[in-house]
Amino acid sequence: QVQLVESGGGLVQAGGSLRLSCAASGNIFKIGTMGWYRQAPGKQRELVATITSGDSGDSTRYADSVKGRFTISRDNAKNTVYMQMNSLKPEDTGVYYCNADTLGYSFRWLEVWGQGTLVTVSS
């Protein structure tokens, strides 16, 4: 079994910054892509950013709405993914979910979701 535990959400004024963290634990041999998704009230869950580690380094992908403001990173030794969010806007408000593709010691891939952390940006 694998768990993802998020932290770092909260209330911030527009223009401010927050840093989200997500730590994976449990039956993990390897983690593939890790990412952050968000769901605003009344809207569908959407991709915010993903990061994949490879032989030539990390590959990242961002939603157009956060490019230049958010930065995703990971610490593979700690099985942790981070997201630095700067210049926050009210439209960034929502529940942010961590996601990871994990390979267990049974060598089966499993997609795992965190419980979510609330980010509220006031105008």
Side-chain angles (χ1 to χ4, degrees):
Q1 194 170 1
V2 177
Q3 287 186 322
L4 300 180
V5 178
E6 299 126 330
S7 61
L11 173 64
V12 64
Q13 287 188 330
S17 298
L18 285 173
R19 188 188 192 216
L20 304 183
S21 300
C22 171
S25 62
N27 179 22
I28 298 172
F29 175 75
K30 179 181 179 180
I31 301 180
T33 299
M34 303 185 81
W36 291 95
Y37 292 71
R38 68 186 179 190
Q39 187 165 19
K43 294 188 177 181
Q44 290 188 329
R45 190 175 298 187
E46 63 176 358
L47 180 148
V48 178
T50 63
I51 184 167
T52 304
S53 292
D55 293 338
S56 56
D58 293 338
S59 173
T60 58
R61 173 187 173 195
Y62 294 93
D64 288 343
S65 59
V66 307
K67 284 181 181 177
R69 301 187 297 121
F70 291 10
T71 303
I72 190 170
S73 60
R74 63 191 285 173
D75 184 335
N76 292 326
K78 296 181 179 179
N79 287 339
T80 299
V81 63
Y82 306 94
M83 188 160 70
Q84 178 67 40
M85 305 186 295
N86 298 328
S87 301
L88 282 161
K89 304 176 181 179
E91 51 263 43
D92 294 317
T93 294
V95 178
Y96 283 68
Y97 296 92
C98 178
N99 173 275
D101 292 325
T102 64
L103 181 66
Y105 288 95
S106 59
F107 297 102
R108 294 177 60 185
W109 284 97
L110 178 68
E111 182 183 28
V112 186
W113 291 89
Q115 80 285 356
T117 186
L118 178 62
V119 172
T120 304
V121 184
S122 63
S123 57

